[in-house]
Amino acid sequence: MTDLTEFISHLPKCELHVHIEGTLEPELKFALAARNNVTLPYADADEMRAGYAFHDLPSFLACYYEGMSVLLTEADFYDLAWAYLNKAQEQNIRYAEIFFDPQAHTSRGITFGTVIRGLRRALMDARRLLDVRAQLVMCFMRDFSAEYAMATLMESLPYQEWIIGVGLDSDERGNPPAKFAAVFARARAEGYQLTMHCDVDQENSVDNIRQCLDVIGVDRIDHGVNCLESEDLQNEIKARGLGLTVCPISNSYVRGSDGLAVVRKMLDGGLRVTISSDDPAYMNGYVTENLLAVQATTPLTPAELVQLQRNAFEIAWLPDAVKDTYLTELDGYLTTDVEC
């Protein structure tokens, strides 16, 4: 290998923060719309991309949920996941934990089973045909009621073997983690792993991270970069060995270049930071592009780039023996000669 760009491209990767609905590229959106006789308010894929004008979380969510109208059948959800998993193979993502938002679909009349059966078939085919391993993480939408979240949790139980954990996403305004304490306590009792979004620079960001720790007892935190505002919070996160699934390009829509530079700050602070893509079809960047963007802003050494992936594999919800296989592959990769 001749440079760090190639090193990053071939680096064995683990992605822990990607929304499957956020991988719906415009070309596939148009194909599904044609199949399902859905009319889209754009002439073509280029015009659709140009229409992705957002500057904060609420404006992004308006684009994000509008695009889901084409997802109607089990085959649609299969095709959605299959497209991402092929992209994952191209980027040498060896393992991914994939968020899905059942309420975004059940709220418009699509059954829970339709969603998860399509996604699950794609994951199984990817393991067999692409050598990409993936698991599903079910997110509750925090701008819906806690009662709806609890009903969704109950609806998931017949499919529990297909779901490794639960998370919380969508608009944080007025929707703190504590709102869902009972839901997450029940999810823990049912055997699910727990995570929650604490998006960058939201209302009461630091307090929301604290609630994740003290009220919910999460196993990791999604985003969570505002922990840098509190030394006590950082120390508690490190003491618990929790990882943070950071999405630099996504963060840069809110923070500009600091959304990329924050990775260096977290590494230097000893936090277990990982790199993911969030909603790559809307953010113009999958994991490789996120790593390249960070590298261009605050250069990392090969050892640091490997450490980011080591962090991800170590906090992944996998059996230790499986983790060890990936970590051995990662350690072997670092011995490759790299001319910087």
Side-chain angles (χ1 to χ4, degrees), residues 84-93 126 129-132:
Y84 165 74
L85 291 160
N86 274 272
K87 186 69 173 182
Q89 185 197 45
E90 291 174 13
Q91 298 215 339
N92 205 26
I93 295 172
L129 300 173
L130 304 177
D131 194 28
V132 175

Side-chain angles (χ1 to χ4, degrees), residues 104-340:
H105 311 297
T106 58
S107 64
R108 55 190 181 89
I110 312 302
T111 69
F112 191 102
T114 295
V115 177
I116 197 167
R117 284 194 299 268
L119 298 176
R120 173 69 175 182
R121 283 198 300 112
L123 266 60
M124 293 300 96
D125 283 352
R127 179 76 182 277
R128 179 171 56 91
L129 300 173
L130 304 177
D131 194 28
V132 175
R133 182 191 294 256
Q135 298 191 90
L136 294 173
V137 178
M138 178 179 68
C139 279
F140 306 111
M141 292 171 59
R142 64 204 312 155
D143 38 3
F144 284 131
S145 69
E147 291 77 15
Y148 188 10
M150 185 67 82
T152 300
L153 175 63
M154 295 299 101
E155 197 169 12
S156 76
L157 295 181
Y159 306 97
Q160 189 171 1
E161 291 185 358
W162 297 356
I163 304 169
I164 191 63
V166 299
L168 184 68
D169 62 14
S170 203
D171 196 347
E172 293 191 25
R173 291 176 301 178
N175 299 302
K179 172 182 172 181
F180 298 90
V183 179
F184 276 75
R186 179 62 184 269
R188 172 74 79 194
E190 295 291 348
Y192 287 123
Q193 301 284 340
L194 308 183
T195 187
M196 280 188 168
H197 277 55
C198 291
D199 279 282
V200 60
D201 298 344
Q202 297 300 298
E203 176 184 84
N204 301 319
S205 290
V206 172
D207 185 57
N208 283 352
I209 297 172
R210 174 60 67 184
Q211 287 184 31
C212 282
L213 299 180
D214 296 344
V215 179
I216 307 300
V218 295
D219 299 299
R220 66 174 179 244
I221 298 170
D222 300 311
H223 296 300
V225 300
N226 290 93
C227 72
L228 292 173
E229 298 171 23
S230 168
E231 185 175 350
D232 288 344
L233 201 54
Q234 291 177 68
N235 290 337
E236 184 64 23
I237 289 170
K238 288 187 283 189
R240 298 191 191 192
L242 299 182
L244 299 106
T245 66
V246 174
C247 305
I249 292 178
S250 173
N251 288 347
S252 72
Y253 278 82
V254 178
R255 285 196 168 188
S257 62
D258 188 58
L260 304 171
V262 72
V263 174
R264 161 61 68 192
K265 297 174 185 177
M266 298 177 87
L267 270 177
D268 290 347
L271 292 164
R272 223 170 187 179
V273 57
T274 73
I275 302 298
S276 290
S277 65
D278 205 0
D279 300 286
Y282 295 86
M283 305 295 181
N284 297 314
Y286 289 79
V287 172
T288 295
E289 289 76 23
N290 272 266
L291 287 165
L292 289 171
V294 170
Q295 177 67 22
T297 302
T298 54
L300 303 173
T301 67
E304 288 170 331
L305 290 163
V306 167
Q307 185 62 51
L308 290 170
Q309 298 310 313
R310 172 172 283 278
N311 290 345
F313 283 118
E314 286 180 343
I315 69 168
W317 293 331
L318 285 169
D320 287 343
V322 178
K323 290 184 187 182
D324 288 345
T325 299
Y326 290 130
L327 290 169
T328 298
E329 179 183 358
L330 193 59
D331 289 340
Y333 185 79
L334 185 56
T335 65
T336 302
D337 289 337
V338 180
E339 299 176 10
C340 302

